[in-house]
Amino acid sequence: SLVYQKVPYDTLKDFAPVTTVAAMQQILVAHPGLPVKSLKDLADLARRSPGKLTAASPGIGGISHLTLEIFKGIGKFDIEHVAYKGTGPALTDLIGGHVPLMIADLPAPLPHVKSGKLRALTVTGEARTPLLPDVSTAREQGFPALQVTNWVGVMAPVRTPAAVVAKLHAAFVAAVEFADTRERYATIGVDPLTAQSTAVFGAFVREEFQRWEKVVRQTGIQLQQ
């Protein structure tokens, strides 16, 4: 909601926080034809070729787009953002060589990195993903501010009784703890993430809003509703 001029709700006031259920690193991938193997390589190429590089994301104002803007701000170079209507079309054009770079949640590009169709330059979590142990994090590559995780959470209408919210929290946490859930998460590159309590999740949401509000303000990204 931060990138829209007007929305018919206030996320912080109109919803009761329940819990997070999952988190995903961002991954920066390149077409194998692009002569870069690291963030430094990419930054150097972008500085040598201002305005010539493009990077796809699943859409304007999403976390992948914002991750690109953070990277550009840190490195002080320009890479043109190309917004697609979803991850699938962006991946198709990247693999086809129509766009050289892409930032997205880890699960979608992962199979193409493993097959060699795409080259992974970095992941943006606190630690490397076990599914791509040779791909270093942005922090390891000298870009500590490029630490981004996309998370999925559950919220209820603000007037939901506290007892119901508590039951929902317990149910979702239990579901994430199931062995089948964890196994599936691990297979596709999703990390389990639950909040200790609804209050902890609420504090986390407020912190995230403050962080991303600064990024949106600095980049000037704004969408019409």
Side-chain angles (χ1 to χ4, degrees), residues 87-99:
T87 304
L91 274 173
T92 298
D93 271 10
L94 177 62
I95 294 170
H98 303 294
V99 61

Side-chain angles (χ1 to χ4, degrees), residues 30-36 45 94-95 97 99-100 116-119:
H31 186 275
L34 191 70
V36 296
L45 179 60
L94 177 62
I95 294 170
V99 61
K117 292 181 180 178
L118 298 175
R119 178 186 298 128

